[in-house]
C-alpha cells in the first residue's frame, strides 16, 4: 500500500492514525515484555507514537506498520534506559534484545491472544472477574484489596497469578481450537 | 523445560515484586531458556491485555463493576489512567504537531547568566566551575587526583580536563564569566593565578573570554602556537602539526612557535599556524551544508579503530567501547565510532531543515540496534548538544553492508543530557556540525562505518 496520496511528499496522516489505533495494543503488549512497569510502557509508548508519526513517510508498506512500529519501540526502550536509573531495569540489554528480537517474530500471535483474552475473561466466575478488573483498574492498592477480601497481599498476588495463568491457558486453547 | 519456580519468578517480574535475590536467577533463566522468554512475553501480553480491558471498562461507564466511581490509586499491577490508551497516544502526537507548527526555539544564554549570579561563596582555591557536561569527562586536579565524578556546578581548582568519548563535552566557567568548552576527544590543562593559561594538547576548544587586563591576557598554548586573548570569542583546534584559529568576535594575537612570527586575527577571520605555510588571516568561508567523510584517504580526525583498505574491502572505522554516565551517575558502556565534520581548515558544515545524512557501513549482526548522532555547536562556538536518531528499516545485505539516509529533522537531544536541555539547542538545525558518531549497545553488533555524507535533499 502506498502511503502517500497522489505521490506527493506529504504522507497520509489519517492512515497513520488509523494504523496506530489498530495496532496500539499490540505495540503496548510488545513494550510490556521489555519494560518493568506499566507506567514505563505509557511513557515509552508516547515517544513511539511521536517518532512513528515523524518517520511515517519512510514506511514503504502500511502492512508492515505493526512490525515497523515495534522496531521503533525497541529503540525507544533503549532511549528510555538512557535517561532512567539503571537499577530500575532488571534485565540486561542483551537479554532485552533477545526478548525483543523473538517478540518481533510473533506479533500476530500476540495480537490474536489479546483478541481472545476478553472472551476468556468472560468465562471466569463473576467474582473472580470483578476481582481481576478491580486490581487492574488500579482502583485500590493491593494491600487494601487484600484486606477487604481477607487475604494477605502475598496471597492476593498468588491468586492473581493463578488467574492470569488460567487466562493464558484459555487464550492458548482458544487459538489452538481456532486453528492456524 | 520450565519449572513451577521458573514461572513464579517470571510472574514476580511482571508484578514488580522481585526480591533482590531473584535478579540473578531471572537473568540466567531468560538468557539461557527460549521457552522462558516466550512465557515472559505471554504473561506480559495477558498483563497488558487485562490492564487495557480494565481501563476501557472504567472509561466507558466511569464506574467499576460494583458501581463505584473509578478513581484509581496505583498498585504494583496497574497504572493510573483517565483516558483510553490509544487516546493518550494520540494526545502525544497532537502535542508534537502543535509544537512543530508553532515553535523552533533556541535556548537563551540567560540561564547561564542566572546560574552564575547564583554562585555560592567563593573558595580561595577554585578558579571556576562546570556549567555544562555530557558523556564521560575526566578531570585531573591538584595533587594528580583523577576523577570522572563531575557534574554541573562542580567547582574546579585548575588541572587537566579530558573528554573520554566522541560525545563528551564540558563547559567551564571562570570566576570572571569567561567560558571554555571542550568537545570530544580533547585534552585541556587550565589554570588561573591572576592570568588564565590554557594548554590545549589536542582537540578543540571554543571560548568566550570576558575582557582581560592588557598586562595579563588569557594565554592559550598549543603544540604549534600561542594565543593571546584580551576578550573575544574564538575557536581553536590543535593538531600535532598545526593550530587552526577561528575568531568570531574581537581580536586574538597568534604567535607561531616554529619561527616566532605573530599575527593579529580579527573577527570573522581565521588562520592556520603550521610550519612552512602562509601565516595570513583569511576570511572565514561561508558555511556549507554538504560534506563527505574521507575515511578512504586517511584516519585523520576520527575516533574508533580505523581499518585500512584491503583487497575488496573499503577502509572503515570500527566502533570501540566508550563509557557513558547516566543522569543518575551510573556508568554504561556503548560501542561507538565518530568522525569530526567541521574543522578549522574548511568551511563549517551546517544542518539545514532538509539536510540528510547518508551512512554506509557494515553490521555483523543483522538485527542490531544502531543509533546515529551528531554533536553540534552554535556559530559562536558554544556547545549545542548531542542529537541522535535511528532508522527502523536498517537492513544489511547478506554481507552485512548497509546504507541508510537519515533526516536531520529526526535528530533528538540525547536523553543522557536531557536534564541540561534548557542550556542546549532545541534542535540541531542551523547549527554547526562538530562531529558525526554512531553507537550500538553491544560489541557483538560489529558496527563499522565506511562513509558518511551530509547533503540537502533537494541537491542530491
Amino acid at each position: 500500500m502506498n502511503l502517500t496520496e497522489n505521490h506527493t511528499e506529504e504522507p497520509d496522516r489519517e492512515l497513520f492514525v488509523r494504523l496506530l489505533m489498530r495496532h496500539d495494543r499490540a505495540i503496548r503488549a510488545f513494550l510490556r515484555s521489555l519494560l518493568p512497569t506499566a507506567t514505563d510502557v505509557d511513557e515509552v509508548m508516547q515517544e513511539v507514537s511521536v517518532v512513528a508519526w515523524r518517520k511515517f513517510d519512510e514506511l514503504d508498506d502500511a502492512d508492515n506498520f505493526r512490525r515497523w512500529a515495534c522496531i521503533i519501540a525497541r529503540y525507544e526502550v533503549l532511549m528510555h534506559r538512557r535517561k532512567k536509573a539503571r537499577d530500575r531495569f532488571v534485565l540486561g540489554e542483551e537479554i532485552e534484545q533477545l526478548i525483543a528480537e523473538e517478540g518481533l517474530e510473533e506479533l500476530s500471535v500476540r495480537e490474536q491472544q489479546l483478541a481472545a483474552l476478553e472472551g476468556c475473561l468472560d468465562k471466569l466466575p463473576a467474582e473472580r472477574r470483578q476481582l481481576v478488573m478491580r486490581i487492574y483498574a488500579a482502583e485500590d492498592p493491593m494491600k487494601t484489596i487484600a484486606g477487604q477480601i481477607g487475604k494477605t497481599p502475598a496471597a492476593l498476588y498468588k491468586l492473581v497469578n493463578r488467574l492470569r495463568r488460567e487466562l493464558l491457558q484459555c487464550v492458548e486453547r482458544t487459538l489452538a481450537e481456532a486453528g492456524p | 523445560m520450565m519449572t513451577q519456580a521458573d514461572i513464579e519468578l517470571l510472574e514476580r517480574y511482571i508484578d514488580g515484586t522481585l526480591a533482590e535475590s531473584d535478579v540473578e536467577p531471572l537473568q540466567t533463566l531468560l538468557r539461557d531458556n527460549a521457552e522462558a522468554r516466550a512465557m515472559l512475553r505471554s504473561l506480559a501480553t495477558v498483563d497488558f491485555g487485562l490492564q487495557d480491558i480494565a481501563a476501557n471498562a472504567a472509561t466507558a461507564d466511569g464506574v467499576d463493576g460494583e458501581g463505584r466511581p473509578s478513581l484509581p490509586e496505583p498498585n504494583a499491577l496497574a497504572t493510573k489512567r483517565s483516558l483510553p490508551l490509544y487516546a493518550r497516544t494520540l494526545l502525544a502526537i497532537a502535542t508534537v504537531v502543535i509544537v512543530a507548527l508553532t515553535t523552533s526555539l533556541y535556548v537563551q544564554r540567560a540561564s547561564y547568566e542566572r546560574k552564575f549570579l547564583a554562585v555560592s561563596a567563593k573558595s580561595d582555591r577554585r578558579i571556576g566551575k562546570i556549567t555544562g557536561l555530557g558523556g564521560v569527562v575526566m578531570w585531573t586536579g591538584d595533587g594528580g587526583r583523577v576523577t570522572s565524578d563531575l557534574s554541573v556546578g562542580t567547582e574546579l581548582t585548575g588541572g587537566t580536563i579530558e573528554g573520554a568519548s566522541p560525545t563528551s563535552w564540558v563547559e567551564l566557567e571562570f570566576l570572571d564569566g569567561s567560558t571554555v568548552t571542550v568537545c570530544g576527544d580533547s585534552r585541556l590543562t587550565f589554570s588561573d593565578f591572576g592570568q588564565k593559561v590554557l594548554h590545549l594538547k589536542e582537540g578543540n576548544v571554543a571560548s568566550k573570554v570576558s575582557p582581560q587586563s592588557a598586562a595579563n591576557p588569557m594565554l592559550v598554548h598549543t603544540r604549534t602556537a600561542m594565543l593571546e586573548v584580551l576578550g573575544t570569542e574564538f575557536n581553536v583546534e590543535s593538531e600535532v602539526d598545526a593550530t587552526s584559529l577561528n575568531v568570531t568576535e574581537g581580536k586574538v594575537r597568534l604567535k607561531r612557535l616554529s619561527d616566532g612570527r605573530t599575527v593579529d586575527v580579527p573577527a570573522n577571520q581565521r588562520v592556520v599556524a603550521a610550519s612552512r605555510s602562509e601565516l595570513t588571516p583569511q576570511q572565514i568561508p561561508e558555511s556549507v551544508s554538504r560534506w563527505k567523510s574521507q575515511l578512504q584517504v586517511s584516519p585523520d580526525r576520527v575516533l574508533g579503530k580505523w581499518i585500512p583498505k584491503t583487497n575488496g574491502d573499503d577502509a572503515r572505522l570500527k566502533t570501540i567501547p566508550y563509557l557513558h554516565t547516566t543522569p543518575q551517575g551510573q556508568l554504561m558502556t556503548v560501542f561507538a565510532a565518530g568522525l569530526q565534520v567541521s574543522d578549522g581548515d574548511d568551511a563549517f558544515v551546517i544542518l539545514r531543515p532538509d539536510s540528510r545524512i547518508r551512512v554506509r557501513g557494515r553490521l555483523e549482526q543483522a538485527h542490531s540496534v544502531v543509533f546515529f548522532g551528531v554533536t553540534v555547536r552554535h556559530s559562536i562556538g558554544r556547545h549545542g548538544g548531542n542529537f541522535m536518531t535511528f532508522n527502523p528499516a536498517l537492513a544489511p545485505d547478506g554481507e552485512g553492508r548497509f546504507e541508510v539516509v537519515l533526516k536531520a529533522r529526526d535528530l533528538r537531544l540525547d536523553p543522557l543530557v536531557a536534564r541540561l536541555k534548557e542550556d542546549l539547542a532545541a534542535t540541531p538545525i542551523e547549527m554547526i556540525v562538530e562531529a558525526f558518531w554512531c553507537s550500538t549497545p553491544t560489541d557483538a553488533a560489529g558496527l563499522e562505518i565506511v562513509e558518511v555524507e551530509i547533503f540537502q535533499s533537494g541537491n542530491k
Side-chain angles (χ1 to χ4, degrees):
Chain A
M1 192 187 304
N2 190 354
L3 303 186
T4 56
E5 285 180 338
N6 304 323
H7 303 284
T8 60
E9 278 293 308
E10 183 60 26
D12 184 347
R13 298 299 182 187
E14 192 183 320
L15 174 63
F16 173 83
V17 172
R18 278 194 282 119
L19 288 169
L20 189 63
M21 286 175 69
R22 189 193 303 164
H23 297 296
D24 180 82
R25 297 171 77 231
I27 302 163
R28 284 176 185 273
F30 175 77
L31 281 171
R32 184 67 185 90
S33 68
L34 302 174
L35 291 164
T37 69
T39 307
D40 288 301
V41 172
D42 266 1
E43 282 180 30
V44 175
M45 186 63 200
Q46 292 195 25
E47 292 301 320
V48 172
S49 52
V50 167
V51 172
W53 166 269
R54 287 186 174 141
K55 291 182 182 281
F56 187 55
D57 55 351
E58 295 169 19
L59 177 65
D60 292 333
D61 186 349
D63 292 339
N64 291 334
F65 181 86
R66 185 180 56 196
R67 184 186 170 82
W68 176 79
C70 284
I71 293 173
I72 291 175
R74 187 177 161 192
Y75 276 91
E76 289 304 325
V77 168
L78 283 167
M79 296 283 262
H80 190 67
R81 287 178 84 112
R82 286 172 86 92
K83 64 180 170 191
K84 299 287 178 184
R86 275 199 120 189
D87 52 14
R88 290 187 56 198
F89 295 88
V90 173
L91 306 182
E93 282 184 5
E94 284 186 35
I95 294 171
E96 188 186 283
Q97 294 307 302
L98 273 175
I99 295 170
E101 218 164 282
E102 292 165 355
L104 285 171
E105 303 309 315
E106 53 189 37
L107 293 172
S108 297
V109 179
R110 300 296 167 206
E111 206 154 62
Q112 289 164 19
Q113 285 181 331
L114 285 171
L117 183 62
E118 203 156 350
C120 288
L121 189 64
D122 285 341
K123 290 177 189 167
L124 282 183
E127 188 192 337
R128 293 289 190 232
R129 189 170 62 242
Q130 277 176 5
L131 178 65
V132 171
M133 284 295 91
R134 195 172 159 200
I135 289 165
Y136 272 96
E139 173 192 323
D140 290 312
M142 287 292 268
K143 199 176 162 187
T144 308
I145 300 174
Q148 285 170 357
I149 61 172
K151 287 185 182 295
T152 63
L156 183 56
Y157 273 114
K158 261 194 169 163
L159 175 61
V160 173
N161 281 326
R162 188 163 61 75
L163 292 172
R164 209 163 43 199
R165 246 180 277 164
E166 280 177 28
L167 286 169
L168 179 57
Q169 284 163 3
C170 169
V171 162
E172 287 172 346
R173 233 180 4 255
T174 306
L175 296 189
E177 283 165 10
Chain B
M1 189 67 189
M2 288 180 67
T3 65
Q4 179 68 19
D6 291 339
I7 294 172
E8 285 172 7
L9 191 57
L10 296 177
E11 286 172 339
R12 287 201 292 282
Y13 171 69
I14 290 288
D15 290 345
T17 57
L18 275 184
E20 209 176 320
S21 57
D22 286 334
V23 174
E24 207 176 313
L26 178 72
Q27 299 262 25
T28 308
L29 177 68
L30 289 172
R31 188 171 40 243
D32 299 343
N33 191 330
E35 189 190 351
R37 294 194 293 273
M39 182 58 150
L40 176 67
R41 288 190 294 271
S42 291
L43 290 171
T45 302
V46 172
D47 181 74
F48 163 73
L50 290 172
Q51 206 164 53
D52 188 43
I53 293 168
N56 286 331
T59 315
D61 57 16
V63 294
D64 70 11
E66 295 170 22
R68 292 183 305 193
S70 51
L71 292 172
E73 286 177 41
N75 62 41
L77 293 174
T79 184
K80 278 187 181 182
R81 291 211 171 84
S82 54
L83 286 171
L85 298 178
Y86 70 85
R88 295 162 66 88
T89 303
L90 294 179
L91 264 181
I93 296 166
T95 306
V96 165
V97 173
I98 291 165
V99 169
L101 287 174
T102 56
T103 179
S104 60
L105 290 175
Y106 284 93
V107 178
Q108 300 302 308
R109 185 72 184 161
S111 60
Y112 270 91
E113 284 156 11
R114 280 198 304 276
K115 277 182 193 167
F116 183 69
L117 290 173
V119 166
S120 57
K122 295 176 182 178
S123 94
D124 289 331
R125 296 177 63 229
R126 79 178 178 90
I127 62 170
K129 64 173 183 172
I130 294 177
T131 48
L133 179 76
V136 173
V137 174
M138 312 295 287
W139 174 53
T140 309
D142 287 350
R145 189 170 62 96
V146 182
T147 181
S148 62
D149 186 21
L150 303 171
S151 59
V152 171
T154 300
E155 297 184 341
L156 302 177
T157 57
T160 298
I161 204 131
E162 194 172 347
S165 80
T167 57
S168 297
W169 64 277
V170 60
E171 183 183 77
L172 309 173
E173 187 174 84
F174 289 93
L175 295 178
D176 68 353
S178 298
T179 59
V180 292
T181 307
V182 182
C183 279
D185 197 16
S186 301
R187 190 152 32 116
L188 178 78
T189 302
F190 60 101
S191 63
D192 188 355
F193 295 98
Q195 181 175 31
K196 296 175 187 62
V197 181
L198 312 182
H199 289 264
L200 180 63
K201 273 270 193 240
E202 55 185 305
N204 194 306
V205 160
S207 188
K208 182 177 183 181
V209 184
S210 303
Q212 307 291 297
S213 78
N216 290 307
M218 177 195 266
L219 300 178
V220 183
H221 297 273
T222 69
R223 289 178 196 272
T224 55
M226 187 190 75
L227 281 54
E228 268 183 40
V229 187
L230 287 174
T232 179
E233 287 182 10
F234 65 94
N235 184 288
V236 60
E237 185 187 334
S238 171
E239 296 174 68
V240 177
D241 58 350
T243 297
S244 306
L245 168 69
N246 283 273
V247 178
T248 325
E249 206 178 288
K251 190 167 71 177
V252 175
R253 174 164 295 167
L254 180 142
K255 179 179 179 182
R256 184 162 64 184
L257 298 182
S258 60
D259 58 5
R261 274 192 62 201
T262 62
V263 62
D264 285 341
V265 185
N268 298 317
Q269 300 223 349
R270 64 163 44 169
V271 73
V272 177
S275 57
R276 285 180 293 183
S277 73
E278 196 65 35
L279 192 66
T280 310
Q282 309 277 339
Q283 193 72 20
I284 294 176
E286 291 286 311
S287 57
V288 297
S289 51
R290 198 171 178 134
W291 173 84
K292 200 171 186 175
S293 64
Q294 299 296 318
L295 277 176
Q296 303 311 312
V297 181
S298 78
D300 282 352
R301 300 185 173 105
V302 300
L303 287 169
K305 184 180 176 189
W306 185 71
I307 301 166
K309 185 175 178 155
T310 54
N311 285 345
D313 272 332
D314 289 330
R316 54 207 191 272
L317 191 63
K318 188 171 169 47
T319 55
I320 56 175
Y322 285 105
L323 283 174
H324 271 298
T325 317
T326 68
Q328 292 74 29
Q330 293 150 317
L331 290 175
M332 59 191 283
T333 308
V334 298
F335 296 83
L339 302 102
Q340 190 172 350
V341 175
S342 295
D343 58 48
D345 299 352
D346 298 309
F348 294 134
V349 181
I350 303 257
L351 282 181
R352 304 295 183 196
D354 61 344
S355 287
R356 302 284 187 268
I357 304 173
R358 184 195 308 280
V359 186
R360 283 201 304 118
R362 292 176 69 163
L363 203 53
E364 276 175 29
Q365 274 189 350
H367 300 294
S368 299
V369 164
V370 181
F371 285 103
F372 302 94
V374 292
T375 299
V376 298
R377 67 177 157 91
H378 298 263
S379 58
I380 56 168
R382 188 159 56 88
H383 180 74
N386 297 325
F387 291 80
M388 58 199 288
T389 188
F390 56 85
N391 186 317
L394 185 67
D397 65 15
E399 293 177 17
R401 287 186 293 247
F402 70 83
E403 179 174 318
V404 288
V405 178
L406 310 158
K407 291 177 183 167
R409 65 175 168 84
D410 285 342
L411 291 158
R412 283 185 290 159
L413 190 64
D414 184 344
L416 280 177
V417 293
R419 70 194 185 289
L420 299 172
K421 67 180 176 186
E422 283 182 17
D423 296 321
L424 300 173
T427 160
I429 307 299
E430 306 303 343
M431 304 282 283
I432 293 172
V433 185
E434 192 89 45
F436 167 87
W437 44 268
C438 54
S439 70
T440 61
T442 61
D443 194 25
L447 175 63
E448 294 174 348
I449 296 302
V450 173
E451 187 176 75
V452 182
E453 188 179 4
I454 297 175
F455 60 95
Q456 285 179 270
S457 64
N459 298 335
K460 188 77 185 174

